[in-house]
Amino acid sequence: MTKLKSLSKFLDPKDILEPKRKKNNSLSNLLDRRLDELTVSKKGMDVPKVLWGAERYGLQNSSLFLSLSDECKQRYLERMTELNLALSAFIETSGHNYGAKMILLSETLEEKSTYALFASDEAVHLREFQNFMKFDYSLESHHHPMLNPLAEVIRDGSKTSLVFVIQVLLEGFGMGHYHGLRESCLFDPLKDTYDQILKDEARHHGTGVILAKEEIPTNEDKDQIFEYTRDFIKAMQSAHWLSNVFEHVGKPLIASEQKQLWIDLKFEKILSSRIEKLKDMLGKVDSFGLIDKLDKNKVFKVQID
């Protein structure tokens, strides 16, 4: 526990998601050459500004979206493309610190090697997404509510709670998210990239399920797993990109318009489906009444702000 507390003091949530970067130095050049050997995608591609169409989000059914001018529709879809790629980049960046922390908390060489390979995969995935990003991004300009609990659990989570929350819950959720993005992607090079990333994420998730089944969580672990799972589901339900982007294109929604948007998109049904998938993933490793506790605390109840 002393080691865990020391790491918590050392890790900063902002640095977990957005570490300092130093460009154009000898290390960057060496890193570029090595990552170019490992990535499916390549730097310098001619990447379209829109990588997912309106159908990805169900916007073809939205009267509000259809009423926008062609220019505003284009800007809307460009912004959604940026947000999708930036979220992926932040998640893969956080994986660097997750792998590093798990290496330090591991007690055997086999565990340390597993998480060294995990961190290596995250570095490659980050470069994959960056190869498609022709824009600058930051936590301020491309934020997602899920990033807050993600950084907090990496900073403060115990080894056992990290396996449950990061590898079982978040990696499992990420696989479904990436699969959906892959299926609706309009750019074949990015589809090919998702194919490789999904193979790696399936291995991370599967390893997490195996390790979680072998763990005997302490009461403190159980409390952490419950709290971070609750916070993650709450953050997922509060993420309203699809309504917020209307403001980005100069068409902010009033309350009645936002309500109509959720109706047109069948947003409540979408959230309910996501929550059920999360419950299924947690069910793989729930040996201590986690799902019952989440149910009793109404964490699985669909809530649209």
Side-chain angles (χ1 to χ4, degrees):
M1 187 57 68
T2 300
K3 183 188 292 187
L4 180 62
K5 288 181 178 179
S6 297
L7 288 173
S8 295
K9 292 178 181 179
F10 176 76
L11 292 170
D12 178 81
K14 189 176 188 302
D15 287 339
I16 289 171
L17 296 167
E18 201 172 28
K20 297 179 181 67
R21 300 181 65 182
K22 187 175 182 180
K23 298 181 179 180
N24 301 321
N25 59 53
S26 56
L27 182 58
S28 293
N29 293 331
L30 290 170
L31 182 63
D32 284 344
R33 287 201 294 271
R34 180 56 181 151
L35 287 173
D36 285 345
E37 295 173 357
L38 298 173
T39 53
V40 175
S41 61
K42 299 302 174 188
K43 294 174 66 175
M45 293 180 293
D46 185 12
V47 180
K49 290 185 177 181
V50 173
L51 295 173
W52 292 275
E55 293 74 16
R56 160 66 189 167
Y57 318 104
L59 290 167
Q60 76 277 10
N61 300 316
S62 166
S63 57
L64 291 164
F65 180 78
L66 295 175
S67 69
L68 296 176
S69 67
D70 288 344
E71 179 185 355
C72 283
K73 288 176 183 174
Q74 177 71 14
R75 287 169 55 205
Y76 185 106
L77 295 174
E78 288 177 9
R79 176 62 175 173
M80 287 302 300
T81 289
E82 286 191 10
L83 290 170
N84 282 329
L85 290 174
L87 176 59
S88 298
F90 284 128
I91 290 171
E92 303 299 342
T93 300
S94 73
H96 290 59
N97 278 295
Y98 175 71
K101 180 172 179 177
M102 292 300 279
I103 289 170
L104 293 172
L105 294 177
S106 294
E107 299 175 359
T108 67
L109 177 60
E110 288 78 11
E111 284 183 291
K112 291 180 183 294
S113 295
T114 295
Y115 287 107
L117 291 171
F118 185 110
S120 175
D121 288 340
E122 302 302 291
V124 174
H125 296 172
L126 175 60
R127 178 55 57 90
E128 295 278 23
F129 287 119
Q130 288 175 336
N131 285 344
F132 295 93
M133 299 172 75
K134 307 303 179 183
F135 57 90
D136 294 325
Y137 66 102
S138 70
L139 286 172
E140 288 72 27
S141 61
H142 294 76
H143 190 260
H144 189 288
M146 188 185 73
L147 296 173
N148 297 329
L150 173 62
E152 288 168 7
V153 69
I154 291 176
R155 179 190 63 189
D156 297 327
S158 67
K159 181 184 170 188
T160 297
S161 67
L162 284 168
V163 170
F164 276 82
V165 177
I166 298 294
Q167 286 184 248
V168 177
L169 182 67
L170 298 189
E171 290 276 6
F173 177 82
M175 284 171 57
H177 179 63
Y178 282 175
H179 179 75
L181 290 172
R182 190 263 177 223
E183 290 301 300
S184 54
C185 183
L186 303 174
F187 192 45
D188 285 342
L190 183 52
K191 280 190 171 185
D192 294 339
T193 298
Y194 275 120
D195 285 338
Q196 181 57 52
I197 290 176
L198 281 165
K199 291 178 184 177
D200 296 336
E201 300 295 352
R203 186 171 60 252
H204 299 170
H205 175 68
T207 302
V209 171
I210 291 170
L211 293 174
K213 287 180 177 179
E214 295 176 352
E215 293 285 349
I216 302 176
T218 65
N219 288 334
E220 185 175 352
D221 292 330
K222 293 174 185 178
D223 288 342
Q224 280 197 344
I225 294 166
F226 166 77
E227 290 167 5
Y228 287 123
T229 300
R230 177 200 60 201
D231 293 349
F232 170 70
I233 293 175
K234 183 178 179 180
M236 181 190 72
Q237 296 204 68
S238 70
H240 294 333
W241 279 353
L242 292 172
S243 60
N244 294 341
V245 174
F246 278 93
E247 183 173 359
H248 179 80
V249 300
K251 303 290 183 179
L253 303 182
I254 61 176
S256 60
E257 289 175 324
Q258 179 163 299
K259 183 177 180 179
Q260 186 59 50
L261 178 66
W262 299 148
I263 292 172
D264 290 345
L265 300 182
K266 299 180 179 178
F267 195 55
E268 184 173 350
K269 183 178 180 181
I270 291 171
L271 285 179
S272 179
S273 176
R274 289 175 182 171
I275 289 171
E276 284 302 314
K277 289 177 181 177
L278 291 175
K279 286 179 72 173
D280 289 343
M281 280 182 285
L282 293 171
K284 298 176 184 178
V285 295
D286 182 15
S287 61
F288 53 94
L290 173 62
I291 292 176
D292 285 343
K293 186 175 181 180
L294 292 165
D295 259 327
K296 288 177 181 177
N297 284 268
K298 299 182 180 180
V299 175
F300 295 127
K301 181 180 179 181
V302 174
Q303 297 179 348
I304 301 177
D305 297 332

